[in-house]
Amino acid sequence: MIRRGNALKRTAGVVMALGLVVTACSSSSDGDADSDTGDSVATEDTAAATDGGETDDVEVTQSSGGRLAAVKAAGVLECGGNDTLPGFGIIDADGSFSGFDIDFCKVIAAAVLGDSEAVNVTPLVAAQRFPTLQSGEIDVLIRNTTWTASRDGAEQANFLQTTFFDGQGFMVRADSGIASIADASNTTICVLTGTTTLLNMNAVLGDRGIPFTALEFESNDELQPAFVAEQCEVWTSDASQLAAFAATLDVDTAILPDIISKEPLGPVVADGDTEWAQAVNWAVMATIQAEEFGITSANIGSFADSEDSGIRRFLGLPIDDGDGNEVIAEVGLGLPTDFASNIISQVGNYGEIFERNLAPLSLSRGPNALWTDGGLMYVPPFR
């Protein structure tokens, strides 16, 4: 017997979609993690399946009525993001959001809705991230969030393709006299609460016998002025974040050579909806495959006449079915056949997204280079 149930947040997603149709063009900045919006109701129906006279109970995900259908019905993607992190998520002078993570919100909107601008970003402080995702208030969380075993298991969270491989580092004032973390004994260290950063620091510095005092803040808007005012001698965060903030400070800083953790960052969706997770995951991976193919927002038009069947399939162009017929291959992900074309033409490939947002901060590709260039960016085949 195949049991079609356990559709976490499915009913809520459909109800939410009706409300979102009304508010599709609005922009939210609440990020209220205490909202009751999106409480889930689990439903179950059953169907029988027999194989060789044996009956098995198999958990499967509904193919309709889930988050993907709700987003399509709403016509807008609700994305949890950041509004205080240069390069990754910030509010521009005109009130719009921009950044590396924000662009991946747009990637998903382009894939699912055909419109990269059909996004409503809800800025969240670190402590709000998982409660807001669990409540169903957002469809996807893309906010410099580290993939860990405990979060994967305890936060009802499904981590997807890593978009940025990072590591925890430390920043000091250039005249501090601190050259490595070993020199930071008995210092005060500024850190965001509710993050893996705090956990890592407690564990690693504790193991090394380096005493310190943690000064915790809920947001970088509070932490940054505290560091500038020398309320703490050290600022710890993901190395990319430190580089981003160093570029905006009026004081001379130095980033220490110590990297004490692995911090894979990427999109997160709520557990229990395989269809939605697959749609988000393959949308993100399309940006990486596009870079590998050499397809950019500027040259995508030139690939209309490509004779490479892999590229044609990827872009949703007709291919020969082997019998001399021109067909368009269905991807079977609940996404349009041209979803990758929409992503590339409207947002760009992974390299373009990186160069647009992170290269200005002097961040090198490093492990975020394609696998063909010695990096870790490698995705399954699009076939």
Side-chain angles (χ1 to χ4, degrees):
M1 177 180 295
I2 299 177
R3 190 170 68 243
R4 298 183 182 275
N6 250 354
L8 185 63
K9 300 184 182 69
R10 296 303 173 77
T11 303
V14 175
V15 173
M16 183 183 70
L18 298 177
L20 289 175
V21 171
V22 179
T23 60
C25 296
S26 67
S27 176
S28 170
S29 59
D30 296 338
D32 184 0
D34 296 325
S35 172
D36 291 331
T37 303
D39 286 345
S40 62
V41 180
T43 62
E44 181 174 295
D45 56 46
T46 59
T50 303
D51 182 8
E54 295 181 3
T55 302
D56 298 319
D57 286 336
V58 180
E59 198 74 27
V60 298
T61 304
Q62 292 179 352
S63 60
S64 63
R67 180 70 65 176
L68 180 59
V71 172
K72 289 179 177 180
V76 65
L77 176 77
E78 295 290 338
C79 192
N82 205 329
D83 61 349
T84 62
L85 182 56
F88 287 87
I90 200 164
I91 298 180
D92 296 326
D94 63 0
S96 62
F97 285 81
S98 67
F100 182 83
D101 288 341
I102 304 302
D103 273 356
F104 278 101
C105 295
K106 295 180 178 181
V107 162
I108 298 165
V112 175
L113 301 170
D115 181 2
S116 65
E117 296 302 316
V119 176
N120 183 45
V121 179
T122 297
L124 303 170
V125 299
Q128 293 175 316
R129 291 174 294 182
F130 293 109
T132 306
L133 180 67
Q134 293 160 4
S135 74
E137 295 173 68
I138 56 176
D139 303 312
V140 60
L141 172 66
I142 311 183
R143 184 205 176 280
N144 50 291
T145 299
T146 302
W147 184 359
T148 70
S150 58
R151 285 176 168 177
D152 219 346
E155 296 289 1
Q156 302 172 40
N158 187 356
F159 287 79
L160 305 175
Q161 171 72 35
T162 296
T163 53
F164 193 87
F165 292 94
D166 212 339
Q168 183 174 337
F170 299 85
M171 182 167 68
V172 297
R173 296 176 74 101
D175 59 1
S176 68
I178 300 173
S180 72
I181 195 62
D183 300 329
S185 183
N186 296 310
T187 60
T188 297
I189 302 179
C190 282
V191 61
L192 290 182
T193 192
T195 62
T196 58
T197 308
L198 179 58
L199 299 176
N200 293 337
M201 182 174 64
N202 287 333
V204 174
L205 270 64
D207 290 346
R208 297 183 186 180
I210 302 173
F212 67 93
T213 299
L215 186 58
E216 299 181 37
F217 298 89
E218 282 208 346
S219 73
N220 286 311
D221 279 346
E222 299 170 346
L223 191 156
Q224 180 174 327
F227 176 77
V228 172
E230 299 186 74
Q231 294 178 31
C232 55
E233 294 94 333
V234 183
W235 180 350
T236 186
S237 186
D238 294 344
S240 63
Q241 292 191 40
L242 297 178
F245 281 112
T248 67
L249 298 178
D250 292 329
V251 298
D252 291 331
T253 61
I255 296 178
L256 304 183
D258 308 80
I259 298 294
I260 66 169
S261 70
K262 295 181 291 185
E263 305 292 328
L265 313 175
V268 191
V269 296
D271 272 340
D273 193 332
T274 301
E275 182 184 48
W276 176 237
Q278 289 175 333
V280 172
N281 211 27
W282 284 95
V284 171
M285 292 191 294
T287 66
I288 299 169
Q289 184 60 60
E291 184 180 13
E292 185 176 334
F293 277 144
I295 308 172
T296 71
S297 58
N299 70 14
I300 186 171
S302 67
F303 285 87
D305 297 324
S306 173
E307 296 181 359
D308 186 318
S309 61
I311 289 177
R312 296 188 66 82
R313 182 182 295 106
F314 175 68
L315 294 176
L317 299 171
I319 57 175
D320 192 318
D321 66 356
D323 294 324
N325 302 311
E326 293 274 291
V327 298
I328 295 179
E330 294 289 339
V331 291
L333 296 168
L335 296 173
T337 55
D338 62 349
F339 79 95
S341 292
N342 290 335
I343 291 170
I344 302 162
S345 61
Q346 296 179 34
V347 189
N349 68 28
Y350 181 87
E352 290 180 277
I353 294 171
F354 191 102
E355 289 299 313
R356 179 166 57 242
N357 297 291
L358 303 183
L361 302 175
S362 298
L363 289 174
S364 63
R365 289 290 292 268
N368 298 295
L370 292 178
W371 67 282
T372 51
D373 295 326
L376 298 177
M377 288 298 166
Y378 178 105
V379 296
F382 275 74
R383 62 171 183 266

